[in-house]
Amino acid sequence: VPEVEKVRRQNKRGQGLRLREDIVAAAAALLEETGSEDAITLRGLARKVGVSAPAIYGHFGDVDEILAAVVSEAFDELDTALRAAERAAEDPSEGAAEPRTAVRAVCAAYLDFARRRPQRYRVMFGRHRTHEGGAMTDRRPAGALLGAAAFDRLLGAVARTTGHPSAASRPGADTFTDATALWVALHGYASLRASVPAFPWPEDDTMLETLIGRLLDGKPSPAAGRP
Amino acid sequence: VPEVEKVRRQNKRGQGLRLREDIVAAAAALLEETGSEDAITLRGLARKVGVSAPAIYGHFGDVDEILAAVVSEAFDELDTALRAAERAAEDPSEGAAEPRTAVRAVCAAYLDFARRRPQRYRVMFGRHRTHEGGAMTDRRPAGALLGAAAFDRLLGAVARTTGHPSAASRPGADTFTDATALWVALHGYASLRASVPAFPWPEDDTMLETLIGRLLDGKPSPAAGRP
DNA sequence: TGTACATCAGTGAACGCGCGTTCACTGATGTAC
DNA sequence: TGTACATCAGTGAACGCGCGTTCACTGATGTAC
Protein backbone atom coordinates (compact mmCIF):
# COMPACT_ATOMS: atom_id res chain seq x y z
CA VAL A 1 0.00 0.00 0.00
CA PRO A 2 1.75 3.16 -1.19
CA GLU A 3 1.50 6.37 0.77
CA VAL A 4 -1.47 8.28 -0.44
CA GLU A 5 -2.20 11.94 0.11
CA LYS A 6 -5.35 12.20 2.13
CA VAL A 7 -7.88 13.94 0.02
CA ARG A 8 -10.81 15.79 1.47
CA ARG A 9 -13.80 13.76 0.59
CA GLN A 10 -16.77 15.47 -0.91
CA ASN A 11 -19.39 16.45 1.57
CA LYS A 12 -22.20 14.03 1.83
CA ARG A 13 -25.44 15.47 0.62
CA GLY A 14 -24.46 19.03 1.51
CA GLN A 15 -23.67 18.11 5.08
CA GLY A 16 -20.10 17.55 6.21
CA LEU A 17 -18.54 20.92 6.81
CA ARG A 18 -22.00 22.40 6.89
CA LEU A 19 -22.84 20.58 10.10
CA ARG A 20 -19.99 22.40 11.80
CA GLU A 21 -21.36 25.74 10.70
CA ASP A 22 -24.85 24.72 11.74
CA ILE A 23 -23.63 23.81 15.21
CA VAL A 24 -21.89 27.16 15.69
CA ALA A 25 -24.93 29.02 14.36
CA ALA A 26 -27.22 27.07 16.67
CA ALA A 27 -24.98 27.85 19.63
CA ALA A 28 -25.01 31.55 18.81
CA ALA A 29 -28.78 31.51 18.43
CA LEU A 30 -29.23 29.59 21.68
CA LEU A 31 -26.99 32.08 23.45
CA GLU A 32 -28.91 35.09 22.20
CA GLU A 33 -32.28 33.46 22.85
CA THR A 34 -31.66 32.25 26.37
CA GLY A 35 -29.11 34.81 27.46
CA SER A 36 -27.10 32.20 29.27
CA GLU A 37 -23.99 30.26 28.32
CA ASP A 38 -25.02 27.21 30.26
CA ALA A 39 -28.07 26.85 28.08
CA ILE A 40 -25.60 25.71 25.46
CA THR A 41 -25.44 21.96 25.93
CA LEU A 42 -24.30 19.24 23.60
CA ARG A 43 -27.70 17.62 23.59
CA GLY A 44 -29.51 20.92 23.24
CA LEU A 45 -27.43 21.86 20.23
CA ALA A 46 -27.93 18.45 18.66
CA ARG A 47 -31.67 18.86 19.13
CA LYS A 48 -31.61 22.34 17.59
CA VAL A 49 -29.53 21.27 14.61
CA GLY A 50 -31.59 18.13 14.12
CA VAL A 51 -28.84 15.62 14.61
CA SER A 52 -27.99 13.01 17.22
CA ALA A 53 -25.83 14.08 20.14
CA PRO A 54 -22.76 11.98 19.35
CA ALA A 55 -22.62 13.49 15.85
CA ILE A 56 -21.20 16.64 17.40
CA TYR A 57 -18.04 14.86 18.50
CA GLY A 58 -17.06 14.62 14.87
CA HIS A 59 -16.58 18.39 14.79
CA PHE A 60 -15.93 19.47 18.36
CA GLY A 61 -14.42 17.66 21.27
CA ASP A 62 -16.06 19.83 23.81
CA VAL A 63 -18.90 22.26 24.35
CA ASP A 64 -16.31 24.89 25.28
CA GLU A 65 -14.77 24.53 21.84
CA ILE A 66 -18.13 25.40 20.35
CA LEU A 67 -18.48 28.49 22.51
CA ALA A 68 -14.94 29.46 21.55
CA ALA A 69 -15.94 29.19 17.89
CA VAL A 70 -18.95 31.41 18.52
CA VAL A 71 -16.75 34.00 20.18
CA SER A 72 -14.13 33.84 17.47
CA GLU A 73 -16.77 34.30 14.80
CA ALA A 74 -18.27 37.22 16.72
CA PHE A 75 -14.89 38.93 16.89
CA ASP A 76 -14.55 38.57 13.14
CA GLU A 77 -17.98 40.08 12.74
CA LEU A 78 -17.12 42.99 14.99
CA ASP A 79 -13.93 43.64 13.08
CA THR A 80 -15.81 43.57 9.79
CA ALA A 81 -18.40 46.00 11.12
CA LEU A 82 -15.78 48.46 12.37
CA ARG A 83 -13.89 48.18 9.10
CA ALA A 84 -17.02 48.86 7.09
CA ALA A 85 -17.95 51.86 9.23
CA GLU A 86 -14.50 53.34 8.84
CA ARG A 87 -14.52 52.87 5.10
CA ALA A 88 -17.97 54.38 4.75
CA ALA A 89 -16.94 57.42 6.77
CA GLU A 90 -13.82 58.05 4.75
CA ASP A 91 -15.30 57.32 1.38
CA PRO A 92 -17.38 60.24 0.16
CA SER A 93 -15.16 63.29 0.53
CA GLU A 94 -11.80 61.54 0.19
CA GLY A 95 -10.32 64.25 2.38
CA ALA A 96 -11.39 65.05 5.92
CA ALA A 97 -14.74 66.79 6.15
CA GLU A 98 -14.54 66.78 9.92
CA PRO A 99 -11.61 65.41 11.88
CA ARG A 100 -13.59 63.09 14.11
CA THR A 101 -15.99 61.67 11.55
CA ALA A 102 -14.18 58.37 11.15
CA VAL A 103 -13.64 57.96 14.89
CA ARG A 104 -17.28 58.69 15.54
CA ALA A 105 -18.34 56.19 12.89
CA VAL A 106 -16.17 53.43 14.32
CA CYS A 107 -17.44 54.10 17.82
CA ALA A 108 -21.04 54.11 16.64
CA ALA A 109 -20.48 50.79 14.88
CA TYR A 110 -18.98 49.36 18.04
CA LEU A 111 -22.00 50.37 20.09
CA ASP A 112 -24.29 49.11 17.38
CA PHE A 113 -22.67 45.70 17.41
CA ALA A 114 -23.00 45.48 21.18
CA ARG A 115 -26.67 46.33 20.88
CA ARG A 116 -27.42 43.96 18.03
CA ARG A 117 -25.65 40.97 19.59
CA PRO A 118 -25.87 41.66 23.29
CA GLN A 119 -25.19 38.17 24.56
CA ARG A 120 -22.31 37.54 22.23
CA TYR A 121 -20.83 40.89 23.16
CA ARG A 122 -21.16 39.98 26.81
CA VAL A 123 -19.37 36.68 26.34
CA MET A 124 -16.66 38.31 24.22
CA PHE A 125 -15.72 40.92 26.78
CA GLY A 126 -17.57 40.05 29.93
CA ARG A 127 -15.95 36.79 30.88
CA HIS A 128 -13.10 37.04 33.27
CA ARG A 129 -10.03 35.37 31.94
CA THR A 130 -8.14 34.04 34.89
CA HIS A 131 -4.52 33.70 33.88
CA GLU A 132 -4.59 30.07 34.83
CA GLY A 133 -1.14 28.72 35.52
CA GLY A 134 0.97 31.39 37.13
CA ALA A 135 2.78 33.90 34.99
CA MET A 136 2.49 33.37 31.25
CA THR A 137 1.25 30.03 30.09
CA ASP A 138 0.20 31.51 26.76
CA ARG A 139 -1.97 28.53 26.16
CA ARG A 140 -4.60 30.49 24.31
CA PRO A 141 -2.76 33.19 22.42
CA ALA A 142 -5.62 33.66 19.99
CA GLY A 143 -8.06 34.29 22.81
CA ALA A 144 -5.88 36.95 24.33
CA LEU A 145 -5.44 38.73 21.02
CA LEU A 146 -9.06 38.63 19.92
CA GLY A 147 -9.99 41.80 21.74
CA ALA A 148 -6.87 43.50 20.50
CA ALA A 149 -8.05 43.41 16.89
CA ALA A 150 -11.06 45.56 17.69
CA PHE A 151 -8.85 47.86 19.71
CA ASP A 152 -6.48 48.26 16.78
CA ARG A 153 -9.36 49.48 14.62
CA LEU A 154 -10.08 52.11 17.21
CA LEU A 155 -6.42 52.98 17.59
CA GLY A 156 -6.06 53.38 13.85
CA ALA A 157 -9.03 55.68 13.57
CA VAL A 158 -7.74 57.84 16.41
CA ALA A 159 -4.22 57.90 15.02
CA ARG A 160 -5.37 59.01 11.60
CA THR A 161 -6.75 62.24 13.04
CA THR A 162 -3.73 63.08 15.16
CA GLY A 163 -2.39 65.56 12.64
CA HIS A 164 -5.58 67.56 12.75
CA PRO A 165 -5.77 71.01 14.33
CA SER A 166 -7.87 69.73 17.21
CA ALA A 167 -4.90 67.62 18.30
CA ALA A 168 -2.51 70.55 18.32
CA SER A 169 -4.19 72.00 21.38
CA ARG A 170 -3.37 68.87 23.33
CA PRO A 171 0.39 68.57 23.28
CA GLY A 172 0.52 65.95 26.06
CA ALA A 173 -1.84 63.54 24.36
CA ASP A 174 -0.69 60.29 22.92
CA THR A 175 -2.65 58.09 20.59
CA PHE A 176 -2.48 54.92 22.62
CA THR A 177 -3.78 56.57 25.75
CA ASP A 178 -6.52 58.23 23.71
CA ALA A 179 -7.65 54.95 22.21
CA THR A 180 -7.50 53.14 25.53
CA ALA A 181 -9.63 55.75 27.26
CA LEU A 182 -12.09 55.66 24.41
CA TRP A 183 -12.33 51.86 24.39
CA VAL A 184 -12.83 51.78 28.14
CA ALA A 185 -15.64 54.32 27.92
CA LEU A 186 -17.29 52.63 24.95
CA HIS A 187 -17.25 49.26 26.61
CA GLY A 188 -18.47 50.68 29.88
CA TYR A 189 -21.39 52.34 28.18
CA ALA A 190 -22.27 49.34 26.02
CA SER A 191 -22.06 47.02 28.99
CA LEU A 192 -23.95 49.11 31.52
CA ARG A 193 -26.60 50.11 29.03
CA ALA A 194 -27.45 46.42 28.71
CA SER A 195 -27.07 45.59 32.41
CA VAL A 196 -28.89 48.55 33.91
CA PRO A 197 -31.62 49.45 31.43
CA ALA A 198 -33.53 51.31 34.13
CA PHE A 199 -30.86 54.01 34.22
CA PRO A 200 -31.81 57.20 32.32
CA TRP A 201 -29.24 56.74 29.58
CA PRO A 202 -28.86 59.46 26.98
CA GLU A 203 -29.15 58.68 23.30
CA ASP A 204 -26.17 56.90 21.77
CA ASP A 205 -25.30 59.97 19.71
CA THR A 206 -25.34 62.25 22.72
CA MET A 207 -23.25 59.87 24.75
CA LEU A 208 -20.75 59.48 21.94
CA GLU A 209 -20.47 63.23 21.47
CA THR A 210 -19.81 63.64 25.19
CA LEU A 211 -17.22 60.90 25.38
CA ILE A 212 -15.33 61.69 22.20
CA GLY A 213 -15.46 65.39 22.89
CA ARG A 214 -14.03 65.06 26.36
CA LEU A 215 -11.66 62.18 25.89
CA LEU A 216 -10.14 63.20 22.58
CA ASP A 217 -10.78 66.89 22.07
CA GLY A 218 -10.78 68.26 25.61
CA LYS A 219 -14.15 69.83 25.05
CA PRO A 220 -16.67 70.15 27.88
CA SER A 221 -20.15 68.70 27.84
CA PRO A 222 -22.18 69.20 24.66
CA ALA A 223 -24.38 71.94 26.10
CA ALA A 224 -27.13 69.69 27.39
CA GLY A 225 -29.49 72.63 27.68
CA ARG A 226 -28.99 73.61 31.28
CA PRO A 227 -29.17 77.27 32.34
CA VAL B 1 -56.98 29.22 71.77
CA PRO B 2 -56.55 33.00 71.88
CA GLU B 3 -54.62 34.80 69.14
CA VAL B 4 -51.00 34.92 70.10
CA GLU B 5 -48.34 37.18 68.68
CA LYS B 6 -45.80 35.02 66.96
CA VAL B 7 -42.55 35.43 68.76
CA ARG B 8 -39.22 34.75 67.10
CA ARG B 9 -37.96 31.60 68.67
CA GLN B 10 -34.45 31.48 69.94
CA ASN B 11 -32.01 30.03 67.47
CA LYS B 12 -31.19 26.44 68.01
CA ARG B 13 -27.64 25.93 69.15
CA GLY B 14 -26.39 29.02 67.32
CA GLN B 15 -27.91 27.92 64.04
CA GLY B 16 -31.21 29.30 62.83
CA LEU B 17 -30.58 32.64 61.20
CA ARG B 18 -26.93 31.76 61.03
CA LEU B 19 -27.58 29.06 58.47
CA ARG B 20 -28.97 31.66 56.13
CA GLU B 21 -25.84 33.75 56.44
CA ASP B 22 -23.69 30.68 56.02
CA ILE B 23 -25.49 29.81 52.80
CA VAL B 24 -24.99 33.28 51.34
CA ALA B 25 -21.35 33.30 52.40
CA ALA B 26 -20.81 29.87 50.86
CA ALA B 27 -22.42 31.03 47.63
CA ALA B 28 -20.18 34.09 47.48
CA ALA B 29 -17.11 31.97 48.17
CA LEU B 30 -18.12 29.41 45.57
CA LEU B 31 -18.65 32.18 43.04
CA GLU B 32 -15.25 33.72 43.64
CA GLU B 33 -13.51 30.35 43.71
CA THR B 34 -15.00 28.88 40.58
CA GLY B 35 -15.68 32.05 38.66
CA SER B 36 -18.96 30.73 37.41
CA GLU B 37 -22.52 31.26 38.56
CA ASP B 38 -23.62 27.81 37.55
CA ALA B 39 -21.17 26.32 40.01
CA ILE B 40 -23.63 27.54 42.60
CA THR B 41 -25.99 24.60 43.08
CA LEU B 42 -28.27 23.75 45.92
CA ARG B 43 -26.46 20.53 46.64
CA GLY B 44 -23.05 22.13 46.30
CA LEU B 45 -23.96 24.82 48.77
CA ALA B 46 -25.40 22.27 51.20
CA ARG B 47 -22.16 20.32 50.96
CA LYS B 48 -20.08 23.42 51.54
CA VAL B 49 -22.13 24.56 54.52
CA GLY B 50 -22.26 21.07 55.96
CA VAL B 51 -25.99 20.59 55.88
CA SER B 52 -28.42 18.40 53.98
CA ALA B 53 -29.76 19.74 50.71
CA PRO B 54 -33.42 20.11 51.74
CA ALA B 55 -32.36 22.26 54.71
CA ILE B 56 -31.80 25.12 52.30
CA TYR B 57 -35.48 25.29 51.42
CA GLY B 58 -36.11 26.59 54.89
CA HIS B 59 -34.32 29.79 53.99
CA PHE B 60 -34.52 30.10 50.21
CA GLY B 61 -37.02 28.83 47.73
CA ASP B 62 -34.62 28.89 44.89
CA VAL B 63 -30.97 29.02 43.98
CA ASP B 64 -31.63 32.32 42.21
CA GLU B 65 -32.80 33.80 45.49
CA ILE B 66 -29.45 32.91 46.99
CA LEU B 67 -27.55 34.55 44.15
CA ALA B 68 -29.79 37.59 44.54
CA ALA B 69 -28.84 37.74 48.21
CA VAL B 70 -25.16 37.55 47.30
CA VAL B 71 -25.58 40.41 44.85
CA SER B 72 -27.59 42.49 47.29
CA GLU B 73 -24.95 42.01 49.97
CA ALA B 74 -22.21 42.91 47.51
CA PHE B 75 -23.99 46.14 46.61
CA ASP B 76 -24.16 47.02 50.28
CA GLU B 77 -20.47 46.31 50.59
CA LEU B 78 -19.67 48.50 47.60
CA ASP B 79 -21.73 51.33 49.00
CA THR B 80 -19.99 51.03 52.35
CA ALA B 81 -16.57 51.08 50.68
CA LEU B 82 -17.40 54.17 48.63
CA ARG B 83 -18.82 55.92 51.68
CA ALA B 84 -15.73 55.15 53.72
CA ALA B 85 -13.42 56.38 50.96
CA GLU B 86 -15.34 59.62 50.67
CA ARG B 87 -15.30 60.20 54.41
CA ALA B 88 -11.58 59.46 54.63
CA ALA B 89 -10.84 61.90 51.83
CA GLU B 90 -12.85 64.71 53.34
CA ASP B 91 -11.80 64.17 56.92
CA PRO B 92 -8.30 65.55 57.50
CA SER B 93 -8.39 69.09 56.15
CA GLU B 94 -12.12 69.72 56.68
CA GLY B 95 -11.94 72.13 53.74
CA ALA B 96 -10.87 71.23 50.23
CA ALA B 97 -7.18 70.61 49.84
CA GLU B 98 -7.65 69.77 46.21
CA PRO B 99 -10.98 69.88 44.42
CA ARG B 100 -10.88 66.36 43.02
CA THR B 101 -9.55 64.53 46.05
CA ALA B 102 -12.89 63.12 47.14
CA VAL B 103 -13.87 62.15 43.60
CA ARG B 104 -10.55 60.44 43.07
CA ALA B 105 -10.90 58.58 46.36
CA VAL B 106 -14.37 57.33 45.50
CA CYS B 107 -13.24 56.21 42.06
CA ALA B 108 -10.21 54.45 43.50
CA ALA B 109 -12.43 52.65 46.01
CA TYR B 110 -14.75 51.59 43.19
CA LEU B 111 -11.87 50.12 41.21
CA ASP B 112 -10.51 48.51 44.34
CA PHE B 113 -13.80 46.79 45.04
CA ALA B 114 -13.97 45.48 41.50
CA ARG B 115 -10.46 44.10 41.85
CA ARG B 116 -10.98 42.54 45.27
CA ARG B 117 -14.28 40.85 44.40
CA PRO B 118 -14.01 40.30 40.66
CA GLN B 119 -16.70 37.67 40.28
CA ARG B 120 -19.20 39.43 42.44
CA TYR B 121 -18.55 42.66 40.57
CA ARG B 122 -19.09 40.83 37.31
CA VAL B 123 -22.41 39.42 38.47
CA MET B 124 -23.51 42.78 39.86
CA PHE B 125 -22.98 44.70 36.65
CA GLY B 126 -22.23 42.14 33.99
CA ARG B 127 -25.50 40.31 33.77
CA HIS B 128 -27.90 41.52 31.18
CA ARG B 129 -31.23 42.33 32.64
CA THR B 130 -33.76 41.68 29.94
CA HIS B 131 -36.80 43.76 30.68
CA GLU B 132 -38.94 40.67 30.68
CA GLY B 133 -42.58 41.45 30.09
CA GLY B 134 -42.87 44.37 27.72
CA ALA B 135 -42.74 47.90 29.05
CA MET B 136 -42.49 48.23 32.79
CA THR B 137 -43.25 45.17 34.83
CA ASP B 138 -41.29 46.57 37.76
CA ARG B 139 -41.19 43.14 39.26
CA ARG B 140 -37.77 43.62 40.76
CA PRO B 141 -37.59 47.27 41.73
CA ALA B 142 -34.77 46.60 44.22
CA GLY B 143 -32.66 44.99 41.52
CA ALA B 144 -33.06 47.90 39.18
CA LEU B 145 -32.12 50.39 41.88
CA LEU B 146 -29.17 48.52 43.28
CA GLY B 147 -26.72 49.96 40.80
CA ALA B 148 -28.17 53.41 41.29
CA ALA B 149 -26.97 53.58 44.91
CA ALA B 150 -23.35 53.31 43.85
CA PHE B 151 -23.98 55.85 41.12
CA ASP B 152 -25.44 58.27 43.65
CA ARG B 153 -22.21 58.11 45.66
CA LEU B 154 -20.32 59.08 42.55
CA LEU B 155 -22.84 61.75 41.67
CA GLY B 156 -22.60 63.24 45.14
CA ALA B 157 -18.83 63.38 45.07
CA VAL B 158 -18.86 65.07 41.68
CA ALA B 159 -21.58 67.51 42.70
CA ARG B 160 -19.72 68.60 45.81
CA THR B 161 -16.85 69.94 43.69
CA THR B 162 -19.00 71.77 41.17
CA GLY B 163 -18.44 75.14 42.83
CA HIS B 164 -14.70 74.83 42.47
CA PRO B 165 -12.68 76.97 40.05
CA SER B 166 -11.97 74.02 37.81
CA ALA B 167 -15.67 73.82 37.06
CA ALA B 168 -15.92 77.48 36.14
CA SER B 169 -14.00 76.89 32.93
CA ARG B 170 -16.62 74.40 31.79
CA PRO B 171 -19.88 76.32 31.59
CA GLY B 172 -21.71 73.66 29.60
CA ALA B 173 -21.03 70.88 32.05
CA ASP B 174 -23.73 69.38 34.18
CA THR B 175 -23.20 67.14 37.15
CA PHE B 176 -25.34 64.26 36.00
CA THR B 177 -23.59 63.98 32.66
CA ASP B 178 -20.24 64.20 34.43
CA ALA B 179 -21.07 61.40 36.82
CA THR B 180 -22.52 59.24 34.05
CA ALA B 181 -19.43 59.60 31.92
CA LEU B 182 -17.25 58.83 34.89
CA TRP B 183 -19.23 55.75 35.88
CA VAL B 184 -19.18 54.43 32.34
CA ALA B 185 -15.42 54.85 32.14
CA LEU B 186 -14.80 53.36 35.57
CA HIS B 187 -16.92 50.34 34.82
CA GLY B 188 -15.38 49.89 31.42
CA TYR B 189 -11.91 49.94 32.87
CA ALA B 190 -12.74 47.66 35.79
CA SER B 191 -14.50 45.22 33.50
CA LEU B 192 -11.96 45.11 30.68
CA ARG B 193 -9.01 44.99 33.04
CA ALA B 194 -10.43 41.71 34.36
CA SER B 195 -11.52 40.36 30.98
CA VAL B 196 -8.46 41.21 28.93
CA PRO B 197 -5.52 40.98 31.33
CA ALA B 198 -3.13 40.62 28.41
CA PHE B 199 -3.74 44.23 27.40
CA PRO B 200 -0.98 46.65 28.48
CA TRP B 201 -3.10 48.48 31.03
CA PRO B 202 -1.62 51.47 32.81
CA GLU B 203 -1.52 51.63 36.58
CA ASP B 204 -4.84 52.35 38.27
CA ASP B 205 -3.61 55.77 39.40
CA THR B 206 -2.53 56.77 35.92
CA MET B 207 -5.76 55.58 34.40
CA LEU B 208 -7.80 57.43 36.99
CA GLU B 209 -5.84 60.62 36.47
CA THR B 210 -6.43 60.39 32.73
CA LEU B 211 -10.15 59.70 33.04
CA ILE B 212 -10.96 62.22 35.74
CA GLY B 213 -8.77 64.85 34.14
CA ARG B 214 -10.42 64.54 30.77
CA LEU B 215 -13.97 63.76 31.76
CA LEU B 216 -14.34 66.28 34.57
CA ASP B 217 -11.65 68.91 34.17
CA GLY B 218 -11.15 69.07 30.42
CA LYS B 219 -7.47 68.48 30.82
CA PRO B 220 -5.49 66.57 28.19
CA SER B 221 -3.49 63.44 28.87
CA PRO B 222 -1.25 63.45 31.97
CA ALA B 223 1.98 63.95 30.03
CA ALA B 224 2.83 60.32 29.61
CA GLY B 225 6.42 61.17 28.78
CA ARG B 226 6.29 61.38 25.02
CA PRO B 227 8.49 63.83 23.11
C1' DT C 1 -39.63 22.55 90.34
C1' DG C 2 -41.29 18.78 87.28
C1' DT C 3 -43.71 16.58 83.54
C1' DA C 4 -46.26 16.46 78.86
C1' DC C 5 -46.51 18.50 74.73
C1' DA C 6 -46.18 21.64 70.51
C1' DT C 7 -42.88 23.57 67.53
C1' DC C 8 -39.82 23.52 63.88
C1' DA C 9 -34.97 23.32 61.98
C1' DG C 10 -32.78 19.97 59.85
C1' DT C 11 -32.36 14.70 58.10
C1' DG C 12 -32.07 10.81 54.89
C1' DA C 13 -33.98 8.17 51.39
C1' DA C 14 -36.02 8.38 47.14
C1' DC C 15 -37.76 10.10 42.57
C1' DG C 16 -37.28 11.60 37.80
C1' DC C 17 -34.53 14.39 34.58
C1' DG C 18 -31.15 16.09 31.40
C1' DC C 19 -26.66 15.85 30.91
C1' DG C 20 -21.86 14.10 28.74
C1' DT C 21 -19.88 10.21 26.93
C1' DT C 22 -19.21 5.24 25.14
C1' DC C 23 -20.09 1.77 21.90
C1' DA C 24 -21.23 -1.12 18.15
C1' DC C 25 -23.77 -0.09 14.22
C1' DT C 26 -25.64 1.61 9.51
C1' DG C 27 -25.95 3.15 5.18
C1' DA C 28 -24.86 6.45 1.59
C1' DT C 29 -20.62 8.06 -1.00
C1' DG C 30 -16.88 7.69 -3.82
C1' DT C 31 -13.17 4.51 -5.64
C1' DA C 32 -10.58 0.38 -7.50
C1' DC C 33 -10.64 -2.77 -10.82
C1' DT D 1 -20.04 0.74 -18.06
C1' DG D 2 -20.64 -2.39 -14.01
C1' DT D 3 -19.60 -4.60 -9.66
C1' DA D 4 -17.15 -5.07 -4.94
C1' DC D 5 -15.33 -2.65 -1.46
C1' DA D 6 -13.32 0.97 1.78
C1' DT D 7 -14.55 5.12 3.92
C1' DC D 8 -16.69 7.77 7.25
C1' DA D 9 -20.53 10.94 8.79
C1' DG D 10 -24.04 10.19 11.52
C1' DT D 11 -27.31 6.80 14.52
C1' DG D 12 -29.52 4.78 18.59
C1' DA D 13 -29.21 2.50 22.78
C1' DA D 14 -27.07 2.55 27.00
C1' DC D 15 -24.29 4.03 31.09
C1' DG D 16 -23.38 6.67 35.28
C1' DC D 17 -23.71 11.25 37.44
C1' DG D 18 -25.19 15.34 39.80
C1' DC D 19 -28.93 17.92 39.95
C1' DG D 20 -33.65 19.90 42.06
C1' DT D 21 -37.36 18.49 44.63
C1' DT D 22 -40.66 15.50 47.55
C1' DC D 23 -41.71 13.13 51.62
C1' DA D 24 -42.18 11.17 56.07
C1' DC D 25 -39.20 11.49 59.82
C1' DT D 26 -36.36 12.96 64.12
C1' DG D 27 -34.91 15.09 67.90
C1' DA D 28 -33.63 19.19 70.43
C1' DT D 29 -35.94 23.54 72.12
C1' DG D 30 -39.00 26.17 74.57
C1' DT D 31 -43.74 26.37 76.77
C1' DA D 32 -48.13 25.17 79.33
C1' DC D 33 -49.75 23.56 83.33
Side-chain angles (χ1 to χ4, degrees):
Chain A
V1 189
E3 205 163 15
V4 178
E5 178 89 38
K6 274 224 168 179
V7 181
R8 247 245 156 280
R9 292 175 100 265
Q10 188 173 328
N11 294 333
K12 191 171 152 186
R13 201 183 28 187
Q15 297 283 81
L17 277 189
R18 208 151 98 191
L19 177 54
R20 200 197 133 94
E21 292 168 23
D22 287 352
I23 292 169
V24 175
L30 214 49
L31 178 62
E32 292 293 346
E33 284 164 18
T34 67
S36 169
E37 293 112 294
D38 49 275
I40 303 179
T41 65
L42 254 159
R43 287 184 112 107
L45 286 174
R47 235 177 285 126
K48 188 144 189 143
V49 174
V51 103
S52 73
I56 292 182
Y57 287 107
H59 299 272
F60 299 95
D62 203 322
V63 76
D64 283 335
E65 263 180 40
I66 301 173
L67 191 59
V70 171
V71 168
S72 171
E73 200 169 80
F75 269 112
D76 284 349
E77 229 184 297
L78 173 59
D79 197 43
T80 301
L82 298 189
R83 210 174 213 112
E86 195 173 36
R87 205 176 325 113
E90 285 173 344
D91 199 21
S93 68
E94 186 64 64
E98 232 232 289
R100 293 301 181 207
T101 306
V103 172
R104 200 149 37 217
V106 171
C107 290
Y110 188 100
L111 292 180
D112 188 54
F113 177 89
R115 198 193 280 283
R116 270 172 20 238
R117 278 114 169 78
Q119 299 301 333
R120 263 167 284 186
Y121 183 82
R122 180 176 61 77
V123 174
M124 288 160 77
F125 290 113
R127 300 234 299 193
H128 286 37
R129 309 203 211 296
T130 47
H131 356 144
E132 51 204 33
M136 284 241 168
T137 337
D138 263 14
R139 286 255 236 109
R140 41 181 79 182
L145 295 174
L146 282 173
F151 177 76
D152 283 347
R153 292 275 125 224
L154 213 56
L155 185 64
V158 171
R160 233 160 288 128
T161 56
T162 300
H164 280 282
S166 64
S169 62
R170 299 167 49 252
D174 88 281
T175 308
F176 194 85
T177 303
D178 284 355
T180 302
L182 195 55
W183 184 33
V184 153
L186 279 178
H187 170 72
Y189 175 53
S191 169
L192 286 176
R193 187 183 59 184
S195 297
V196 195
F199 190 85
W201 297 109
E203 294 291 313
D204 277 14
D205 286 349
T206 310
M207 192 79 209
L208 262 187
E209 203 179 338
T210 301
L211 294 177
I212 294 177
R214 297 191 189 186
L215 291 174
L216 301 189
D217 300 323
K219 280 192 291 194
S221 142
R226 288 228 173 175
Chain B
V1 189
E3 204 163 15
V4 177
E5 178 90 38
K6 274 224 167 180
V7 182
R8 248 248 157 276
R9 292 174 101 266
Q10 188 172 328
N11 294 333
K12 189 173 154 186
R13 199 182 28 184
Q15 297 284 82
L17 279 188
R18 209 151 97 190
L19 178 55
R20 200 197 134 93
E21 294 168 22
D22 287 353
I23 292 167
V24 176
L30 213 51
L31 179 62
E32 293 293 346
E33 284 163 18
T34 67
S36 169
E37 293 113 294
D38 49 276
I40 302 179
T41 66
L42 255 161
R43 288 185 112 107
L45 287 173
R47 235 176 286 128
K48 188 145 188 143
V49 173
V51 104
S52 73
I56 292 182
Y57 287 107
H59 298 272
F60 299 95
D62 203 321
V63 75
D64 282 334
E65 263 181 40
I66 301 173
L67 191 58
V70 170
V71 168
S72 171
E73 201 170 79
F75 269 112
D76 285 349
E77 230 184 295
L78 173 60
D79 197 45
T80 302
L82 299 189
R83 210 174 214 113
E86 195 173 36
R87 207 177 322 113
E90 285 172 346
D91 199 21
S93 68
E94 186 64 64
E98 233 234 290
R100 293 300 181 207
T101 305
V103 173
R104 200 149 35 216
V106 171
C107 291
Y110 188 100
L111 292 181
D112 188 55
F113 178 89
R115 197 192 280 282
R116 269 172 23 237
R117 279 115 168 76
Q119 300 301 334
R120 264 168 282 188
Y121 183 81
R122 181 177 60 79
V123 174
M124 289 160 78
F125 290 114
R127 300 233 300 193
H128 286 39
R129 310 201 211 298
T130 46
H131 356 146
E132 51 205 32
M136 284 240 169
T137 337
D138 262 16
R139 285 255 236 109
R140 42 181 78 182
L145 296 173
L146 281 173
F151 177 76
D152 283 346
R153 291 276 126 223
L154 213 56
L155 185 64
V158 171
R160 235 160 287 128
T161 56
T162 300
H164 281 282
S166 65
S169 62
R170 299 166 51 252
D174 88 281
T175 307
F176 194 86
T177 302
D178 285 355
T180 302
L182 195 54
W183 183 33
V184 152
L186 279 177
H187 170 72
Y189 175 53
S191 169
L192 286 177
R193 187 184 60 184
S195 298
V196 195
F199 190 85
W201 298 108
E203 294 290 313
D204 278 13
D205 286 350
T206 310
M207 192 81 208
L208 262 187
E209 203 180 338
T210 300
L211 294 177
I212 295 177
R214 297 192 190 186
L215 291 174
L216 301 189
D217 300 323
K219 281 191 290 193
S221 140
R226 286 228 174 174

